[in-house]
Amino acid sequence: MAKWVYKFEEGRASMRNLLGGKGCNLAEMTYLGLPIPQGFTITTEACTEYHKNNNALTQEMEDQILEDLTWLEGINGKKFGDVNDPLLVSVRSGARVSMPGMMDTILNLGLNDVAVEGFAKKTNNPRFAYDSYRRFIQMFSDVVMGVPKSLFEKEIDALKAKKGVKYDIDLDTDDMKSLIATFKQIYKDNQHEDFPQDAKTQLFEAVRAVFRSWDNPRAIVYRRMNDIPGDWGTAVNVQTMVFGNMGNTSGTGVAFTRNPATGEKGIFGEYLIDAQGEDVVAGVRTPSPISQLEKDLPECYKQFMELATKLENHFHDMQDMEFTIQEGKLYFLQTRNGKRTAQAAIKIACDLVDEGQIDEKEAVCRIEAKSLDQLLHPTFDKDALKAGEVIGHALPASPGAAAGKIYFTAEEAKAAGKGGRGERVVLVRLETSPEDIEGMHASEGILTARGGMTSHAAVVARGMGTCCVSGCTELKVDEEKKVCELGGYTFHEGDYISLDGNTGNIYKGDIKTVPASTNTGDFGRIMGWADKYRKLRVRTNADTPADAANAVRLGAEGIGLCRTEHMFFNEDRIPKIRRMILSDTVEEREAALNQLIPFQKGDFKAMYKALEGRPMVVRYLDPPLHEFVPKTEEDMEQLAKDMNLSVEEVKTRCDELHEFNPMMGHRGCRLAVTYPEIAKMQTRAVMEAAIEVNAEEGYSIEPDIMIPLVGEVKELKFVKDVVVETAEAVKKEKNSDIKYHIGTMIEIPRAALTADKIAQEAEFFSFGTNDLTQMTFGFSRDDAGKFLESYYQNKIYEFDPFAKLDQEGVGQLVQMAVEKGRKTRPDLHCGICGEHGGDPSTIDFCHRVGLDYVSCSPFRVPIARLAAAQAAINNEKN
Ligand code: PEP
Ligand code: MG
């Protein structure tokens, strides 16, 4: 019989995959003898089985839950659903890694109309008991059954208004009783049945809701953004309730053993006296700093500090702990390795090495590679900032600087921001909740009126690396009317505001930002260790000297892909390449090419100089025609003038060039097969540039020439012959014995399948996984975004195959091509230059299949260096 349920005392920290993060740490804390309200964990495997079993708990699972419930009743000396002294539990989700977006917590489960009376008598605190029941009905209805939260909040607000009071705490026992009656009616109106009175029914419903929430749309989006596989599942933790809302010797809080924003050592946290956990997390009341606890309850503070240190030393990492004090007795409700900014992660990892807690390799693995993005994010331009007007100040919840247009809802932010209309957006909200996640992602910065450093907005923004300022109490927001007021100003949707996530300052207007510099001490140490342990080399995709220099600054060891057609993207050059594309005869084309060659050669020289002798793979022209053919009347007229043609003639030539599938059209090496003079011009430009730069700078550059979109060895051979002939001619003219290498992109499935033959002609392979993905899936690179969303929601695909390599399919082609290619040519140099080259999971794959390097955009170079080291260290371990 499978075991679906584990008591906390049966688990250990090593059982994370089975018990989830929360569950395995509760087990470990139990093992360490910490004060933990006891309970049990329903496993992640049960979640997977639940989904397989048509979204139903199996009889075996239900039996095991009931069995452990009986045990829990025994150790607490209370019965579940009892009319005199009921056992109450919390039900919380807990995946292997913490995952906002899923159902989180239900408290006070087990109360019903009768049990609440017993609970009131037993605690001698009727207001507290009825308040607990009121909260439970609200949470159960919303979280388990999906009855909108706002229906309940409206009733509370109405009652407060009627009584002329401001806070929930001003409502008395009778008010709570009347709210309970109203809430139960809301439940009935929505669910068409009475609020469940049977505690076991409540429990099973809650467990099912946690399992269901694993697949809700928000959780699916979060998984995709964070590379979490859909088959991990979540565990459910059922834990005896303790109460932080039993008066002035009770309270609840969250605390970190180091500062999650800066990494500074020392307890950092917040707590609320006389409150339940959700009050802190939801940011409904603004909490006090943890130092206040020392004044309020010194004994509890002392014990808390001792145990917090014990936990950090045990887990050798910064801990994020939730605790509750019930009538002077301290309990830990959970601990986990705390989420932190990249800046904090780097400092903490270096400090832990210096403290002797972890070694260099562990330090390298402690930093989430993607999070380095945060360090590369902008700060304010110092002069612009001096002129800026501070209009408010709040908590510096997530670092970085952001300036943008104000939007008041996540939907509008999503439509306007990154991935939408491309505006710079600052999302301004009263507080954020998990449904805001996509809007937050699309924003440069987030500003909230409510909530502390551990509120939803703060935690999620920090995770995303998005600048966030939270808990701005002076900020008045009217989300419906789309206006807010701060510092004496009124702002409407579309007005500019600027946020400093490092200081918490809020500025009027659009303050200029500048990119961050990453070469600070701790960052340098981590990168130094990463470079020591990685096997893969890291290059960059760059087409301008500025990008190349920036990539070198970030640690690039050369250029893995210089897209030569991109060198003609700017306004004064594009007409020249258009002229070449629209040429009708060899003579016309050669004339156009003669105009291009000085630019091309000048650019190559500048690139080689920016690289200071590092290698550069020059990819020959690969212009998908639809990106280059003129579209506007104005461009056509200009071209007609340049080419001495009528506008009509230009139009006709454009029409002739029209392709139904330009991505599969006359591009890549097909152009050079049809028009060898293009390859000749490019060869002359690159060879002359390298020879001249070697002479001028004393470098020994050996040009790497890459032929794109090859599917058949004979077409590669054809273009190669053209290149060799010109290269040898240039060498002779310049009296040079420079070496050069000719390789190809593997980006067409046929090239991968015939890689052994291709390697007879190619000295190196570079996997163009953008096209390889496009052609393996049969998805258009330009259009897949329009339908992939349905694939995620229906769990057909879990992630965007253009962002993260599909290792099962496309990866098989890559692996096969490397093996076949190296059979023919054992020293075949292999790399990747598709967008995937900067994605950590793809980098791990590249390490495993034995590529020599990855090539990615300049700002992802540090990420790739770190991910390559993690791949080497983790694969060595396994
Ligand atoms: C590729 O296809 O992966 C590639 C790098 O080339 P491009 O994106 O220019 O087609
Ligand atoms: Mg390509």
Side-chain angles (χ1 to χ4, degrees):
M1 186 177 69
K3 185 165 169 64
W4 304 110
V5 185
Y6 286 74
K7 300 175 183 71
F8 295 164
E9 61 187 35
E10 291 177 305
R12 286 300 301 270
S14 56
M15 294 160 75
R16 171 175 291 269
N17 294 358
L18 186 65
L19 302 179
K22 205 170 281 164
C24 78
N25 282 355
L26 281 165
E28 190 75 4
M29 286 196 288
T30 301
Y31 169 79
L32 292 172
L34 264 72
I36 308 297
Q38 279 307 299
F40 53 86
T41 303
I42 306 158
T43 66
T44 54
E45 286 175 0
C47 178
T48 313
E49 188 62 25
Y50 166 90
H51 287 288
K52 271 197 218 145
N53 190 36
N54 283 328
N55 298 341
L57 299 173
T58 63
Q59 190 58 48
E60 213 173 65
M61 286 177 204
E62 291 194 0
D63 291 347
Q64 291 184 20
I65 292 170
L66 292 178
E67 205 175 288
D68 276 17
L69 194 59
T70 307
W71 161 82
L72 196 62
E73 289 175 332
I75 61 164
N76 280 294
K78 295 179 182 196
K79 286 261 175 237
F80 204 49
D82 192 72
V83 292
N84 294 316
D85 184 14
L87 169 69
L88 303 186
V89 295
S90 66
V91 177
R92 313 172 104 190
S93 61
R96 271 189 225 185
V97 291
S98 94
M99 227 185 80
M102 278 189 319
M103 189 202 102
D104 188 23
T105 302
I106 297 182
L107 303 177
N108 310 334
L109 189 141
L111 281 173
N112 58 28
D113 293 353
V114 191
V116 69
E117 287 175 28
F119 190 49
K121 270 190 218 123
K122 184 77 198 174
T123 55
N124 211 7
N125 192 341
R127 189 201 174 277
F128 159 69
Y130 286 95
D131 183 32
S132 301
Y133 188 29
R134 182 275 299 175
R135 286 169 187 261
F136 169 56
I137 299 172
Q138 199 174 339
M139 261 190 262
F140 186 91
S141 307
D142 161 31
V143 175
V144 176
M145 296 309 198
V147 183
K149 199 159 61 182
S150 56
L151 296 178
F152 299 94
E153 279 168 358
K154 242 187 239 159
E155 293 298 333
I156 301 177
D157 288 344
L159 185 59
K160 283 195 288 197
K162 191 169 137 202
K163 295 201 64 179
V165 298
K166 199 166 172 199
Y167 298 109
D168 295 7
I169 210 120
D170 301 324
L171 299 174
D172 62 21
T173 310
D174 286 337
D175 296 328
M176 292 301 164
K177 285 184 180 169
S178 98
L179 280 177
I180 288 166
T182 318
F183 283 9
K184 281 176 22 192
Q185 191 57 46
I186 294 175
Y187 183 92
K188 193 168 181 181
D189 292 346
N190 276 271
Q191 296 302 113
H192 310 295
E193 60 184 23
D194 288 325
F195 186 79
Q197 293 293 311
D198 174 41
K200 287 176 186 160
T201 307
Q202 294 170 356
L203 178 62
F204 286 132
E205 284 295 350
V207 172
R208 282 192 278 268
V210 175
F211 285 164
R212 260 197 321 270
S213 73
W214 174 253
D215 271 343
N216 77 31
R218 289 195 307 274
I220 291 175
V221 168
Y222 186 84
R223 286 206 288 273
R224 196 167 71 245
M225 283 180 344
N226 291 278
D227 290 344
I228 300 171
D231 60 6
W232 279 5
T234 179
V236 186
N237 299 291
V238 178
Q239 190 173 22
T240 310
M241 278 299 301
V242 284
F243 297 94
N245 52 345
M246 289 186 76
N248 283 340
T249 54
S250 301
T252 188
V254 288
F256 297 85
T257 53
R258 299 181 192 230
N259 185 319
T262 64
E264 216 62 53
K265 195 168 177 172
I267 290 286
F268 176 90
E270 297 165 329
Y271 97 113
L272 274 172
I273 202 103
D274 196 12
Q276 269 200 336
E278 92 257 16
D279 297 340
V280 181
V281 178
V284 175
R285 276 160 60 188
T286 301
S288 315
I290 192 104
S291 51
Q292 181 66 30
L293 180 62
E294 190 173 13
K295 295 182 195 114
D296 293 343
L297 299 164
E299 273 309 307
C300 286
Y301 181 74
K302 188 164 159 267
Q303 191 194 5
F304 174 77
M305 292 297 279
E306 277 168 19
L307 293 178
T309 309
K310 179 172 177 168
L311 282 174
E312 180 175 290
N313 291 341
H314 182 73
F315 287 105
H316 304 295
D317 200 356
M318 183 260 267
Q319 294 301 294
D320 165 3
M321 302 150 296
E322 276 183 30
F323 64 93
T324 284
I325 298 163
Q326 177 175 321
E327 298 183 310
K329 176 155 175 37
L330 172 74
Y331 293 94
F332 276 71
L333 299 186
Q334 78 169 75
T335 192
R336 60 184 171 190
N337 296 339
K339 283 202 188 302
R340 61 204 79 179
T341 61
Q343 192 185 333
I346 285 174
K347 176 161 173 53
I348 291 170
C350 288
D351 287 352
L352 289 173
V353 170
D354 294 339
E355 290 164 25
Q357 295 229 45
I358 58 172
D359 63 16
E360 290 172 7
K361 287 187 179 176
E362 183 60 31
V364 163
C365 292
R366 283 286 172 88
I367 290 144
E368 199 199 338
K370 271 190 186 166
S371 76
L372 294 185
D373 254 342
Q374 296 170 18
L375 293 180
L376 312 168
H377 281 180
T379 50
F380 285 122
D381 174 88
K382 282 205 175 63
D383 293 333
L385 193 62
K386 270 188 217 143
E389 183 187 351
V390 180
I391 51 167
H393 181 83
L395 298 171
S398 180
K405 288 186 186 172
I406 295 176
Y407 284 92
F408 292 99
T409 67
E411 294 73 48
E412 278 147 356
K414 188 182 162 199
K418 288 177 247 173
R421 297 194 297 276
E423 294 171 17
R424 284 177 293 120
V425 166
V426 172
L427 179 63
V428 177
R429 305 277 286 152
L430 275 173
E431 63 200 318
T432 64
S433 61
E435 35 300 16
D436 292 341
I437 194 154
E438 288 185 272
M440 294 171 74
H441 213 66
S443 304
E444 309 292 317
I446 296 148
L447 171 64
T448 68
R450 295 186 192 147
M453 290 287 278
T454 45
S455 64
H456 177 267
V459 171
V460 174
R462 224 178 277 140
M464 286 177 178
T466 301
C467 163
C468 176
V469 174
S470 71
C472 181
T473 43
E474 318 94 88
L475 177 71
K476 304 270 167 299
V477 185
D478 188 330
E479 291 171 357
E480 266 178 29
K481 293 207 179 102
K482 300 184 183 175
V483 318
C484 66
E485 286 171 27
L486 184 64
Y489 293 100
T490 302
F491 296 89
H492 297 94
E493 184 181 86
D495 289 346
Y496 277 97
I497 197 164
S498 301
L499 308 176
D500 188 333
N502 295 80
T503 62
N505 281 343
I506 304 157
Y507 300 84
K508 185 167 173 281
D510 187 10
I511 297 180
K512 189 178 163 206
T513 54
V514 287
S517 141
T518 48
N519 292 328
T520 56
D522 284 338
F523 178 80
R525 284 179 84 191
I526 292 283
M527 282 296 143
W529 294 332
D531 291 344
K532 185 159 142 190
Y533 296 112
R534 71 186 158 92
K535 302 273 188 295
L536 280 168
R537 298 209 158 259
V538 177
R539 294 189 181 188
T540 192
N541 295 355
D543 329 301
T544 67
D547 282 357
N550 188 28
V552 167
R553 183 178 65 83
L554 295 169
E557 297 166 279
I559 288 184
L561 174 67
C562 172
R563 291 178 165 104
T564 51
E565 66 283 359
H566 286 200
M567 298 171 116
F568 296 99
F569 264 161
N570 60 16
E571 262 180 58
D572 54 332
R573 302 219 182 154
I574 203 154
K576 298 187 171 63
I577 197 156
R578 283 190 177 138
R579 188 175 161 187
M580 192 275 292
I581 289 172
L582 260 67
S583 297
D584 226 8
T585 62
V586 176
E587 292 71 35
E588 258 181 38
R589 193 166 305 101
E590 278 178 348
L593 287 167
N594 280 339
Q595 277 201 342
L596 289 177
I597 197 165
F599 293 110
Q600 184 93 102
K601 180 175 155 187
D603 285 346
F604 287 147
K605 284 185 74 172
M607 297 289 282
Y608 277 132
K609 287 188 181 176
L611 286 171
E612 297 167 341
R614 294 173 182 83
M616 169 163 75
V617 177
V618 174
R619 201 268 304 271
Y620 276 17
L621 277 178
D622 179 14
L625 285 182
H626 63 307
E627 285 180 20
F628 285 87
V629 169
K631 289 181 193 79
T632 66
E633 203 65 33
E634 202 186 329
D635 286 346
M636 300 229 188
E637 278 167 19
Q638 175 67 40
L639 205 59
K641 230 201 242 155
D642 284 355
M643 297 183 74
N644 233 348
L645 296 171
S646 69
V647 176
E648 276 317 302
E649 283 171 306
V650 169
K651 277 191 184 153
T652 312
R653 288 195 190 180
C654 288
D655 287 347
E656 280 164 13
L657 284 173
H658 173 265
E659 292 180 328
F660 289 102
N661 279 312
M663 273 294 182
M664 297 205 193
H666 197 189
R667 57 178 283 223
C669 66
R670 296 159 203 167
L671 270 185
V673 169
T674 332
Y675 311 127
E677 51 279 13
I678 298 177
K680 281 187 197 157
M681 181 281 283
Q682 293 206 285
T683 306
R684 178 161 289 279
V686 69
M687 292 298 291
E688 288 186 3
I691 292 168
E692 287 176 25
V693 172
N694 280 347
E696 287 162 25
E697 306 288 337
Y699 299 152
S700 35
I701 301 162
E702 298 180 359
D704 292 310
I705 292 168
M706 181 155 79
I707 313 300
L709 228 67
V710 163
E712 156 60 48
V713 67
K714 286 186 213 134
E715 70 183 336
L716 172 61
K717 173 84 170 66
F718 179 90
V719 182
K720 183 179 169 183
D721 287 347
V722 174
V723 173
V724 169
E725 192 187 309
T726 311
E728 291 302 324
V730 174
K731 278 172 68 178
K732 216 180 209 165
E733 282 164 31
K734 296 254 174 196
N735 198 14
S736 163
D737 63 352
I738 190 170
K739 284 209 186 81
Y740 59 97
H741 309 281
I742 300 174
T744 186
M745 293 190 74
I746 303 288
E747 53 184 343
I748 288 187
R750 192 177 190 283
L753 294 166
T754 60
D756 45 351
K757 290 201 177 130
I758 304 259
Q760 288 165 2
E761 298 298 335
E763 279 178 80
F764 61 86
F765 283 176
S766 179
F767 289 92
T769 43
N770 303 334
D771 276 310
L772 195 58
T773 299
Q774 169 167 262
M775 293 189 226
T776 304
F777 276 85
F779 288 165
S780 153
R781 286 163 67 166
D782 297 327
D783 299 316
K786 293 182 197 142
F787 52 78
L788 275 175
E789 195 54 45
S790 313
Y791 279 76
Y792 307 141
Q793 292 305 337
N794 291 305
K795 300 210 307 179
I796 298 170
Y797 294 126
E798 283 181 4
F799 55 84
D800 179 352
F802 290 103
K804 180 175 156 180
L805 191 79
D806 158 49
Q807 295 180 19
E808 193 186 5
V810 181
Q812 221 183 109
L813 287 171
V814 173
Q815 186 168 9
M816 182 210 301
V818 173
E819 284 166 10
K820 283 186 159 217
R822 289 201 174 134
K823 267 206 188 107
T824 304
R825 193 186 284 267
D827 61 350
L828 185 77
H829 201 236
C830 295
I832 180 175
C833 64
E835 279 315 297
H836 309 84
D839 166 64
S841 71
T842 308
I843 292 170
D844 184 76
F845 171 82
C846 293
H847 172 91
R848 283 186 277 115
V849 299
L851 294 196
D852 296 291
Y853 69 89
V854 297
S855 188
C856 57
S857 56
F859 277 104
R860 290 169 95 188
V861 165
I863 297 175
R865 287 162 69 197
L866 190 60
Q870 291 171 348
I873 295 165
N874 290 332
N875 285 293
E876 193 178 77
K877 273 190 221 156
N878 300 334

